[in-house]
Amino acid sequence: MPTVQFTSNLKRFYPDLKETSVKAGTIAQLVDEVNKFFPGIKNYIVDDQNTLRDHVNIFINENMILDRIGLGDNIAAQDRIFIMQALSGG
Amino acid sequence: MSKKSTLLIGTRKGLVIYDKAATDKWVFRKVEFLGLPVSISYVDALTGTWWACLDHGHWGNKLHRSFDKGATWEEVAAPKYPEGEEIKEGVPASLRYLWAMASMSNGQSSKLLIGTEPGGLFTSDNNGSTFELNRGLWDHPSRKNHWFGGGRDHPGIHSILIDPHNPDRIYVGISCAGVFETTDGGKTWNPKNKGLTADFLPDPHAEVGQDPHLLVACDSNFEVMWQQNHCGIFRSSDGGENWKNISDETGEANFGFAIAADSNNENVAWVVPAISDEIRVAIDNSLCVCRTEDGGKTWDTFRKGLPQGHSFDITYRHALDQDEETLAFGTTTGNLYLSDDHGESWNCLNNNLPMVYSVDFI
C-alpha cells in the first residue's frame, strides 16, 4: 500500500498524525482514506469542492501531482506520498 | 460604563480576549488560535455558544465553537457550497471567507446564520453542526451578473440583521450587491437600495451593485438602519425602504468601513472615518471618531486620546462596537482604543496587537 507523510504543521491540528499506509489507487482516494484515520483532515487538504488548496502541495515520491482539481493522479503500492504546505505566510 | 465585561478581538494572529476587572480597567486575559487569522467572532445569546471564524492561509476557512465561554474550543465543519454551484458563469463556487454570523429563534427552535464570500448565506438548525445554503438568496436572479467583488475577490455577505419581533424578516448587507430583505424566512429576497448611490457604476442608482461596508440597526427601533457605505453614510427610518445620504460633505464623516448604532437612541451613531479610496489611511494622518446625535443631520468629531498627525490607522467594518457609554475599536495597525464617554475621549488599551478585524463586547 502507498504510504503518506504529512507536513509537521498539520500536527498542530492533528497531534496524533503520523506516517500512514492506505489502500488507494489515486490521490483522491488516498485523501478520502486518510480522512478515515484522521477525521476532518480532508478539509485541511482540499476545499469544499474537493480541489487542492492553493497553498498545499502533494508529491508522489519526488514529483508534484499534476491534477490539482480532480486529484486524479495514479499511485502505486510502492509510492510514497508527501502532503506539504507551501512556504508562505507573514 | 459598559455593562458587559468581556471584549473579543479578532486579529490577524488570533482571538484576543480582554476582561473588565473589578477596578473597571480592561485587562488582557489570553489569546486563542495564536498565529491564525480570526475574521470574526460571535457570541450566540440564544445558546451561549462562542464562535470563532478562522481564515487559515494554508488550510482554508475553519469554524470553531466553545460551550464554556472560551475555555475550550472544538472545530466543526465549515459551510460547504453544493457541488456544481458557480459564482458566475464558469467560475466554481467554493468557500472563500466567513464574514458574518447571527442567530434567531421563533420560540420553538433556533437557527444560526453565516454570511460568506462568495455570496452564500448558510443556515444551521443544529447549532452549527451542519449548514445548508439558503437557496432563495443564492438563486436570486441578480446574483450572477450584478453582484461582484470589492475589496475581496468575490461578493461577500458581511452583515446579517434579524427583526427581533419577526424572525422571518432578515436583512443582509453584501459587498458588492447591496442590502437585501426577506420577509418569509429566506424563501424570497428583495433588494432594498433605494436612495443609495454607487459612483463606481455606470448607473449610480442601480437597484443592485451598491456597496454597503456595514449594515446595522438600532436595537430599540429595528426600522432605523444605518450603513457605512463605500460612497458615504446612509440612514433609513423605514426598514431600508428608503435610504438618505447623511454624510458630512465638508467634514470627516464620509468614507470608512465601521459604523455603530446606539442601542437605545435611534438618532445616535458613530463612524471611524478614513480617506477614500485609493489611499485608505486616517484623514490627515490623524485618527478621529465622528458621532451624530440627530440622525445624521450633523456630525461631531472627537480626537482626544487618539493619535494626531502620524497615524495610518483605519478601522475595518466589524472592528467597532458599543455598549452603553462605552465604545471600543481596533485598527489595521494593531491599536485598540476604548472610550467610556460616548466616544468623546479615548484611551489606548494596546498598541501592539496584530491587524484587528473585529471587536465585540459580550
Side-chain angles (χ1 to χ4, degrees):
Chain A
M1 289 192 291
T3 59
V4 55
Q5 286 180 259
F6 304 89
T7 169
S8 59
N9 290 305
L10 276 170
K11 283 183 75 85
R12 174 171 181 179
F13 315 108
Y14 292 88
D16 300 329
L17 200 61
K18 61 185 180 186
E19 182 173 323
T20 304
S21 296
V22 296
K23 189 176 178 182
T26 66
I27 293 295
Q29 292 168 6
L30 177 132
V31 171
D32 283 335
E33 290 300 310
V34 163
N35 199 57
K36 294 176 183 171
F37 286 87
F38 308 104
I41 199 169
K42 178 178 177 179
N43 292 334
Y44 281 68
I45 301 167
V46 299
D47 69 11
D48 53 331
Q49 303 305 303
N50 295 320
T51 296
L52 190 63
R53 293 195 178 279
D54 287 346
H55 301 289
V56 178
N57 285 329
I58 299 179
F59 290 81
I60 302 171
N61 303 312
E62 294 174 357
N63 300 311
M64 213 182 306
I65 65 167
L66 300 176
D67 181 7
R68 294 180 63 92
I69 295 174
L71 306 187
D73 296 56
N74 292 313
I75 49 179
Q78 71 279 9
D79 283 336
R80 297 181 64 78
I81 315 302
F82 300 89
I83 297 179
M84 316 292 288
Q85 73 174 47
L87 295 176
S88 58
Chain B
M1 282 290 192
S2 166
K3 290 179 182 168
K4 297 177 179 176
S5 57
T6 300
L7 263 176
L8 297 184
I9 303 141
T11 81
R12 184 171 159 77
K13 295 292 180 181
L15 179 66
V16 174
I17 304 175
Y18 270 78
D19 291 317
K20 189 163 73 171
T23 57
D24 284 337
K25 282 198 166 180
W26 290 83
V27 293
F28 182 99
R29 186 204 305 180
K30 65 173 179 176
V31 57
E32 296 280 356
F33 314 110
L34 181 63
L36 305 178
V38 176
S39 55
I40 51 166
S41 61
Y42 176 68
V43 173
D44 184 346
L46 298 171
T47 64
T49 310
W50 287 24
W51 293 91
C53 299
L54 274 54
D55 176 31
H56 283 264
H58 293 91
W59 311 114
N61 287 275
K62 306 298 176 199
L63 190 56
H64 290 253
R65 67 184 174 190
S66 171
F67 298 122
D68 52 14
K69 298 184 177 180
T72 60
W73 295 82
E74 69 173 12
E75 183 181 339
V76 297
K80 295 185 178 185
Y81 280 79
E83 192 177 344
E85 295 299 333
E86 293 182 325
I87 301 172
K88 51 183 60 190
E89 215 61 43
V91 182
S94 62
L95 179 66
R96 307 296 179 101
Y97 205 57
L98 301 165
W99 216 7
M101 291 188 78
S103 61
M104 64 187 194
S105 170
N106 61 9
Q108 278 99 42
S109 61
S110 62
K111 196 182 284 275
L112 188 69
L113 298 90
I114 294 191
T116 72
E117 183 196 2
L121 177 69
F122 288 84
T123 62
S124 172
D125 293 325
N126 51 19
N127 199 22
S129 295
T130 58
F131 287 93
E132 186 177 350
L133 179 66
N134 177 277
R135 296 298 329 186
L137 186 60
W138 185 251
D139 292 336
H140 194 276
S142 68
R143 185 184 63 79
K144 278 192 176 179
N145 293 324
H146 296 284
W147 300 17
F148 51 91
R152 302 191 62 81
D153 288 345
H154 301 290
I157 299 172
H158 48 62
S159 306
I160 305 170
L161 304 180
I162 299 163
D163 185 340
H165 305 296
N166 176 8
D168 284 340
R169 185 169 172 234
I170 305 166
Y171 290 75
V172 292
I174 306 167
S175 290
C176 297
V179 176
F180 284 70
E181 179 199 27
T182 177
T183 56
D184 56 13
K187 294 184 188 71
T188 60
W189 295 79
N190 291 303
K192 294 289 174 185
N193 299 312
K194 189 177 169 190
L196 300 179
T197 50
D199 55 21
F200 50 84
L201 290 177
D203 174 10
H205 305 291
E207 186 178 36
V208 177
Q210 303 289 329
D211 186 13
H213 284 173
L214 188 72
L215 175 70
V216 295
C218 176
D219 284 351
S220 61
N221 183 356
F222 187 71
E223 304 309 311
V224 173
M225 297 179 176
W226 308 72
Q227 61 174 282
Q228 173 66 72
N229 188 290
H230 191 90
C231 300
I233 305 165
F234 294 83
R235 182 175 182 269
S236 169
S237 56
D238 55 9
E241 290 295 331
N242 296 280
W243 290 97
K244 183 180 178 190
N245 191 333
I246 56 166
S247 308
D248 185 359
E249 308 236 327
T250 58
E252 287 84 4
N254 285 296
F255 181 80
F257 295 91
I259 186 165
D262 190 276
S263 303
N264 304 311
N265 188 334
E266 65 189 46
N267 290 314
V268 177
W270 295 262
V271 293
V272 188
I275 299 178
S276 171
D277 180 9
E278 304 81 4
I279 300 175
R280 299 195 180 193
V281 298
I283 298 169
D284 295 331
N285 292 111
S286 298
L287 191 56
C288 66
V289 172
C290 294
R291 182 184 72 198
T292 179
E293 295 182 301
D294 54 12
K297 294 187 186 76
T298 61
W299 291 88
D300 292 315
T301 300
F302 301 104
R303 302 179 181 279
K304 189 176 177 185
L306 300 174
Q308 301 298 297
H310 55 274
S311 166
F312 293 83
D313 302 59
I314 62 172
T315 296
Y316 282 155
R317 68 198 76 220
H318 298 124
L320 166 68
D321 199 14
Q322 178 241 348
D323 180 49
E324 303 293 332
E325 296 89 359
T326 304
L327 287 96
F329 69 94
T331 75
T332 49
T333 51
N335 296 311
L336 177 64
Y337 295 101
L338 191 122
S339 166
D340 276 324
D341 57 6
H342 268 115
E344 295 185 11
S345 64
W346 296 85
N347 291 306
C348 184
L349 288 189
N350 196 327
N351 281 123
N352 301 292
L353 291 172
M355 179 181 282
V356 175
Y357 297 132
S358 67
V359 170
D360 289 289
F361 285 107
I362 61 167

